[in-house]
Amino acid sequence: MKKTSTRLADGRELIYYDSRDDTVRDAVDRRPLDRTVTTSEVRRDPLLGDAVAIASHRQGRTYHPPADECPLCPSEGDRLSEIPDSSYDVAVFENRFPSLAGDSGRCEVVCFTSDHDASFADLTEEQAGLVLEAWTDRTAELSHLPSVEQVFCFENRGAEIGVTLGHPHGQIYAYPFTTPRTALMLRSLAAHKEGTGGENLFDAVLERELAGERIVLETDHWVAFVPYAAHWPYEVHLYPRRRVPDLLGLDEAARTEFPKVYLELLRRFDRIFGEGESRTPYISAWHQAPFGTLEEFDGVVRDDFALHLELFTIRRTSGKLKFLAGSESGMSVFINDVPPEAAAQRLREVASS
């Protein structure tokens, strides 16, 4: 992999990740852009203790542009985009309309391919491996920023999810705090460790799932399963067999095997609802240990956390979505219409030949 870092016209960082070591990236951003001005502010909810990012500048972000005006496609002739070069393998740049900025963190866009009409599931294993390298590199780089405590790599796919740019891409949020969802995991981890005399909760969960009926697929280095208490109609958790706290901890064998496993999961998601249905909308989210102190979580050290990916769709059956209504949105109590065991069986049935 070759990494080339440059700057866009308004000063934002752009990084190319290329498969070939001899690739030259010297294209200049020719757009007359002013410096990006953001109004991001993180506020704490005094009752819930969680955080809300107030970012009014995002009201003006690009919204469903036509394909020939896509800002994530390579620049071509007089059509200039966020990517000045005429082609790219994987590109990462600072979001022009970030939810988090400055002392409040950082937001980046990850372009998986220059092919506007593709999806992550269409990538080759080599290309998917390059994306993994980009996620890992950005996690390492962002963790060194003084304002960053946790790095979150994720992809939203599909208009039903709220995606406003059709080009295959994901995002990276670098938070200045430990996110509420991760804090819940760490509290459960601490309580289990104390209550069992040192047993790791992530290890216990994986061991239980391996002995059960919700396994979707397993390989030498990865295990994918529908969790016992799945929140979403079709939800898969992907764990490396060897517990590591973040993407940087994956060994070469797990890295090599990941593209094949992940692409298989994505392709199965696209087959859940049968022929004739549009591509399945989903959210794919990497959970990594925070880089800040864990003192508030008694007895927990960073290596106790288990890196894992959570992949889920809001589609509950053909043509119908799962909406977060009163119980979910008002009380954070999910109601799942699809039994996890049935979801796992369906995801096994649609395995590619």
Side-chain angles (χ1 to χ4, degrees), residues 174-197:
Y175 297 100
F177 50 80
T178 297
T179 61
R181 188 175 178 87
T182 302
L184 285 174
M185 292 183 193
L186 291 169
R187 291 189 190 102
S188 296
L189 187 62
H192 187 86
K193 188 174 185 179
E194 180 180 5
T196 60

Side-chain angles (χ1 to χ4, degrees), residues 37 66 75 92 95 117-118 124 127-128 138 155-157 162 164 185 189 195 205 236 267 270 284-286 290 305 335:
V37 177
S75 293
V92 178
N95 198 322
D117 298 317
T124 64
Q127 187 80 1
R138 296 315 301 151
E155 180 193 1
N156 300 325
R157 189 183 79 168
T164 57
M185 292 183 193
L189 187 62
V205 166
V236 173
R267 289 162 186 169
D270 275 341
S284 178
W286 280 110
F305 194 87
I335 300 168

Side-chain angles (χ1 to χ4, degrees), residues 111-161:
C111 299
F112 303 140
T113 172
S114 59
D115 184 352
H116 180 86
D117 298 317
S119 179
F120 201 118
D122 299 322
L123 301 183
T124 64
E125 290 185 22
E126 180 184 25
Q127 187 80 1
L130 189 59
V131 175
L132 176 62
E133 291 301 313
W135 283 332
T136 305
D137 181 71
R138 296 315 301 151
T139 295
E141 292 292 327
L142 293 169
S143 72
H144 293 134
L145 297 180
S147 64
V148 172
E149 190 166 313
Q150 186 172 0
V151 179
F152 176 47
C153 307
F154 66 100
E155 180 193 1
N156 300 325
R157 189 183 79 168
E160 300 94 330
I161 297 294

Side-chain angles (χ1 to χ4, degrees), residues 1 17 89-90 92 110-112 120 123-140 153 172 222 238 240 244 246-263 286 288 307 309:
M1 179 196 78
Y17 294 89
D89 290 345
V90 175
V92 178
V110 183
C111 299
F112 303 140
F120 201 118
L123 301 183
T124 64
E125 290 185 22
E126 180 184 25
Q127 187 80 1
L130 189 59
V131 175
L132 176 62
E133 291 301 313
W135 283 332
T136 305
D137 181 71
R138 296 315 301 151
T139 295
C153 307
I172 301 175
W222 295 90
L238 178 63
V244 295
D246 53 38
L247 289 165
L248 285 79
L250 291 174
D251 60 24
E252 193 59 35
R255 290 184 181 281
T256 300
E257 197 176 68
F258 171 78
K260 182 177 182 178
V261 174
Y262 187 49
L263 290 171
W286 280 110
Q288 306 191 80
L307 167 76
L309 181 140

